[in-house]
Amino acid sequence: AQSVTQLGSHVSVSEGALVLLRCNYSSSVPPYLFWYVQYPNQGLQLLLKYTSAATLVKGINGFEAEFKKSETSFHLTKPSAHMSDAAEYFCAVSVKGAQKLVFGQGTRLTINP
Amino acid sequence: NAGVTQTPKFQVLKTGQSMTLQCAQDMNHNSMYWYRQDPGMGLRLIYYSASEGTTDKGEVPNGYNVSRLNKREFSLRLESAAPSQTSVYFCASIGGWYSYEQYFGPGTRLTVT
C-alpha cells in the first residue's frame, strides 16, 4: 500500500522568499507522484506530476519538484513566493495501473507581505 | 466544457435525514471518484467507479452509497446523515487509463446538525 506524509501542516514565508513544502512517500513499487493546490473554497488543481520520466518536474506558476528515490521524497519548491501562492497544497501518490490517489494531510502556505 | 460539476454547493441536514450529492463530468472520462475533506486529514476516498456499471469502496465507505448512473454521472447518497458526515465532499474524474491526473469539482459543503 502507498502512503504520503507531508511535513508541516502550516508553512509561512515572506513574499519573495523560497517556498519549500516537504513530501515523503512510501510505496513498494515505483510511484507516480503529484502535487495539487487548493485555493480557498475551490476544488483541487494539478500543479505538477512525476510519472517516471525526468526526476525534476516543472509545473504551473513557477513551482517545481524533484523525485529523490533514495530519500523517498518529492518536495515542492518555488524560488520566490508571491502573495497569490497562498493556498493549501496536497501531495499524492499512485502506482501504475491503480488509478487511485492517496493524499497527504495537506500543508497550508501563508505568504507574509 | 464545464469539466466536473457538483450540486448542491452547500447543504445543511438534520441528523437522520437523507440526501444525494450529484456529480457530472463532460470530458468522457471513464473513472470517477468521491472524496471527503476534513481539516488535517487531507482527502479520503469514499467510493470510486472505474467504469460505467462498476463501483468499489474506498477508504471510508461506511454510511454512504453510490450510483454510476451513466458515463457522465456519479452520485453519492447519505441514507441517514450523522454529524460525523459534516465535511466538504469532492467529486473527481480521470482521463485515460494511464493519465492519473484527476480533475476535481468545486465541492459540496455539507453540515449535519
Side-chain angles (χ1 to χ4, degrees):
Chain A
Q2 297 78 44
S3 67
V4 171
T5 301
Q6 292 182 238
L7 301 175
S9 59
H10 196 170
V11 170
S12 182
V13 302
S14 298
E15 191 174 17
L18 171 72
V19 175
L20 171 60
L21 305 183
R22 299 177 187 273
C23 172
N24 287 89
Y25 70 91
S26 172
S27 178
S28 57
V29 298
Y32 293 169
L33 294 158
F34 306 81
W35 275 100
Y36 282 83
V37 60
Q38 184 182 31
Y39 298 104
N41 300 313
Q42 294 187 26
L44 278 70
Q45 176 184 358
L46 182 69
L47 265 182
L48 49 80
K49 62 183 177 184
Y50 165 78
T51 55
S52 75
T55 56
L56 182 61
V57 181
K58 293 187 185 301
I60 62 172
N61 302 337
F63 284 93
E64 63 182 37
E66 186 172 9
F67 172 68
K68 292 188 176 181
K69 184 178 177 181
S70 61
E71 299 177 9
T72 62
S73 69
F74 191 58
H75 301 331
L76 182 71
T77 60
K78 181 174 180 177
S80 177
H82 191 273
M83 296 299 291
S84 61
D85 295 327
E88 188 149 21
Y89 292 79
F90 293 92
C91 183
V93 64
S94 184
V95 296
K96 185 175 180 179
Q99 280 214 323
K100 285 194 291 182
L101 291 176
V102 175
F103 285 87
Q105 306 92 320
T107 298
R108 183 166 300 277
L109 177 64
T110 301
I111 312 297
N112 302 312
Chain B
N1 217 359
V4 179
T5 57
Q6 292 182 236
T7 56
K9 285 187 169 31
F10 301 94
Q11 184 72 48
V12 179
L13 291 178
K14 293 188 188 312
T15 298
Q17 288 184 318
S18 63
M19 79 162 295
T20 300
L21 282 64
Q22 306 287 354
C23 172
Q25 51 90 9
D26 61 0
M27 297 174 283
N28 202 35
H29 287 171
N30 288 318
S31 301
M32 298 183 72
Y33 305 80
W34 276 106
Y35 294 92
R36 59 177 290 170
Q37 182 180 23
D38 303 291
M41 303 190 75
L43 276 76
R44 292 181 292 168
L45 183 64
I46 305 171
Y47 271 94
Y48 68 102
S49 170
S51 62
E52 186 178 351
T54 68
T55 60
D56 284 288
K57 294 178 180 179
E59 184 185 352
V60 288
N62 291 344
Y64 305 95
N65 285 301
V66 290
S67 294
R68 184 74 183 268
L69 305 169
N70 48 54
K71 192 170 186 179
R72 289 187 64 249
E73 299 171 288
F74 188 38
S75 63
L76 178 72
R77 183 159 178 85
L78 287 70
E79 291 290 352
S80 179
S84 60
Q85 294 179 304
T86 293
S87 188
V88 182
Y89 292 86
F90 288 99
C91 178
S93 68
I94 198 167
W97 183 249
Y98 293 111
S99 170
Y100 299 98
E101 177 180 350
Q102 293 197 6
Y103 292 81
F104 284 81
T108 294
R109 188 173 296 274
L110 175 67
T111 302
V112 183
T113 62

